[in-house]
Amino acid sequence: MNVLILADHFPPSFAPRMGYLTRNLKSLGHSVYVVAITKHRDFNSFDFLSGYADEVYTVASRERSHKQVLLSLIKGFFSSFRFMWSDVDSEYYTCCKALLSTHHIDCMICSTSSFYPLMVAERLMSSLPSILDFRDIYEQDETFYPRRGLAGVMRHFQKKIRTRIVRKANAVVSVSNWHCSYLSKWNSNCHLILNGFDERRFSPQPAWHGDKVRIVYTGTLATPSGDISAHTPDMLFEAIDELPADKRSRLDVVFYTDSNSISIMNRVIEKYHLTDVVRCSEWVKSDMVPDILKESSALLILSNHGNKGVMLTKSFEYMAMNRPIICLPNPDSQLEAMIVETGTGVVLRDKHSVMRTLESLIEGSLSVHRNEETIMCFSRMSQAQQFVDLMSYIMHK
């Protein structure tokens, strides 16, 4: 099968979902051609997922103001008579036409976390069986995506156009039950394909024996504006603060996060007088994460308030490592159910249950009963096979 992946980003920039999919499709014997933005992001490099596609056509990446975007849309309209068509879309489409002129493509997957390149995918749908893969959608966090001003107007029209394109697709895929339920209003052929862990990099590890009991968190915490309410550590910090001194001294809680989150978190740590127990460390690149997780006693997932259907990739990677997951109250029941189903951790809802869990962890009596067969259902290879099955279905429907 010859597969075209049309994506907003592709390794070595972000979007590991499509990077892993490309690698695993290749290992399953398929050919993969990619058209995407591949802007390099040093803070979270995915270089190790580069080089697997048969060919990668790169669309120019540029940082632009809302005014520049508007001018681009006006230019695109008069050049192609398509509302909301931009110069970025034109570059995508030119790359696709060049690729299609020299290669036979059996199926297209368009993957996005925003809007681009959905309009390009729409133009190709008449000649290619198509799957739309939504890693994120605007509605999952209305506080993050602007609703006023020029940006808000653009989002409004982008959502309208997205709805039109979703209706036309042969199939739609997304990353949580909430996303699938939302998108299925416009396309009943909507499928859940979760994110997962790379079984080559994340696997059950023997117990780590350090001087202290180390609890590790990896990932961002604060929004660009400095808000950490969506991932607040307050319940954890309150529980630690009430532990007896001898037990508290046994703990080492480490947050591996970005510089913006570190500056906010350091103030919160000082507020709770936990500088002797909790510390922040600089962001680690993706290829270093497995080694960080190995040197831990337990792995932390904080509440995800304000977001709908967000199934964090770290959750799957944590599951693979044979470390108990400590998940603080999360509004996403699917994530909690997954942790329970796989037997990989505990879901805690109040300060006292957090204290009891920390004490058990310190005493060495916290145990989980892992379901290895269920855990492997969340591997990246399992995800790739689901895409293959869906592509075969829509091609022969």
Side-chain angles (χ1 to χ4, degrees):
M1 188 187 308
N2 294 334
V3 182
L4 168 62
I5 291 181
L6 190 60
D8 52 354
H9 292 287
F10 192 77
S13 82
F14 196 60
R17 181 175 172 89
M18 288 298 106
Y20 282 120
L21 179 60
T22 297
R23 188 195 70 185
N24 289 328
L25 287 177
K26 289 293 293 180
S27 69
L28 291 170
H30 305 285
S31 297
V32 184
Y33 303 90
V34 177
V35 180
I37 292 174
T38 58
K39 179 182 177 182
H40 200 285
R41 295 171 66 175
D42 288 333
F43 74 89
N44 198 11
S45 178
F46 285 88
D47 295 286
F48 63 92
L49 287 176
S50 298
Y52 289 99
D54 291 84
E55 294 182 34
V56 177
Y57 290 66
T58 304
V59 177
S61 174
R62 56 178 69 88
E63 299 292 337
R64 301 178 302 167
S65 67
H66 293 317
K67 181 179 179 181
Q68 289 172 317
V69 172
L70 179 61
L71 292 174
S72 168
L73 294 173
I74 294 171
K75 176 183 174 183
F77 174 76
F78 283 107
S79 64
S80 65
F81 299 101
R82 283 180 170 82
F83 180 58
M84 295 293 286
W85 183 269
S86 71
D87 53 0
V88 176
D89 292 303
S90 295
E91 290 184 45
Y92 268 107
Y93 189 65
T94 298
C95 289
C96 289
K97 294 300 288 183
L99 189 153
L100 291 171
S101 68
T102 56
H103 298 83
H104 169 74
I105 299 296
D106 296 300
C107 190
M108 171 182 66
I109 299 173
C110 176
S111 182
T112 182
S113 61
S114 54
F115 182 72
Y116 298 111
L118 288 175
M119 293 185 71
V120 179
E122 182 183 30
R123 291 189 66 175
L124 300 177
M125 284 179 180
S126 60
S127 58
L128 288 175
S130 58
I131 297 172
L132 300 183
D133 175 58
F134 290 95
R135 307 190 307 276
D136 296 291
I137 59 176
Y138 299 129
E139 292 85 349
Q140 73 191 39
D141 184 0
E142 292 287 5
T143 62
F144 180 79
Y145 295 106
R147 287 179 285 179
R148 297 178 181 176
L150 175 58
V153 171
M154 288 179 58
R155 291 287 179 266
H156 172 77
F157 285 113
Q158 285 175 339
K159 285 193 251 185
K160 294 288 187 183
I161 294 169
R162 183 197 64 194
T163 297
R164 180 188 75 209
I165 299 171
V166 166
R167 292 182 191 275
K168 294 181 180 180
N170 296 104
V172 176
V173 166
S174 199
V175 294
S176 80
N177 288 335
W178 182 88
H179 285 82
C180 289
S181 175
Y182 189 87
L183 293 165
S184 65
K185 290 187 287 187
W186 302 288
N187 191 319
S188 59
N189 193 25
C190 192
H191 300 262
L192 170 67
I193 301 182
L194 293 162
N195 284 313
F197 63 90
D198 178 10
E199 60 276 18
R200 301 187 190 182
R201 301 173 56 239
F202 298 91
S203 59
Q205 299 297 314
W208 177 75
H209 301 287
D211 295 334
K212 293 188 176 185
V213 173
R214 180 174 296 167
I215 300 173
V216 167
Y217 176 95
T218 59
T220 57
L221 288 159
T223 63
S225 64
D227 181 17
I228 62 168
S229 60
H231 304 290
T232 176
D234 287 347
M235 184 182 297
L236 173 66
F237 288 180
E238 290 170 4
I240 295 174
D241 188 47
E242 293 193 19
L243 284 175
D246 60 326
K247 293 181 178 179
R248 169 176 161 149
S249 65
R250 295 278 313 283
L251 283 177
D252 178 27
V253 183
V254 190
F255 290 86
Y256 292 89
T257 190
D258 60 285
S259 57
N260 178 48
S261 296
I262 288 175
S263 64
I264 305 300
M265 280 293 292
N266 282 337
R267 292 199 291 270
V268 179
I269 293 167
E270 290 177 4
K271 168 188 167 184
Y272 282 97
H273 308 290
L274 295 177
T275 54
D276 59 326
V277 178
V278 184
R279 57 192 172 96
C280 293
S281 185
E282 63 182 12
W283 189 278
V284 293
K285 292 186 177 181
S286 295
D287 56 356
M288 297 171 58
V289 170
D291 290 331
I292 294 296
L293 301 186
K294 288 177 186 177
E295 297 183 352
S296 68
S297 309
L299 302 171
L300 178 65
I301 297 176
L302 293 175
S303 58
N304 197 29
H305 296 292
N307 297 314
K308 301 170 185 174
V310 177
M311 299 286 285
L312 300 168
T313 297
K314 70 165 66 71
S315 306
F316 301 96
E317 295 172 348
Y318 285 4
M319 288 193 308
M321 296 298 293
N322 195 29
R323 300 287 187 269
I325 295 172
I326 298 175
C327 179
L328 298 193
N330 198 295
D332 195 318
S333 59
Q334 187 178 5
L335 174 59
E336 294 190 356
M338 183 181 72
I339 292 173
V340 173
E341 180 185 7
T342 56
T344 50
V346 292
V347 179
L348 309 175
R349 304 186 183 283
D350 58 71
K351 177 181 66 177
H352 298 292
S353 63
V354 177
M355 288 179 62
R356 289 193 297 270
T357 298
L358 292 177
E359 290 174 336
S360 297
L361 186 63
I362 293 166
E363 295 164 358
S365 60
L366 178 63
S367 62
V368 293
H369 304 284
R370 294 168 57 84
N371 185 332
E372 298 295 344
E373 183 177 351
T374 302
I375 291 170
M376 288 308 298
C377 293
F378 301 113
S379 72
R380 292 289 186 178
M381 180 56 78
S382 175
Q383 175 196 72
Q385 188 59 58
Q386 291 176 70
F387 271 104
V388 170
D389 293 344
L390 182 56
M391 285 188 286
S392 298
Y393 172 74
I394 66 171
M395 287 170 56
H396 299 100
K397 186 177 179 181

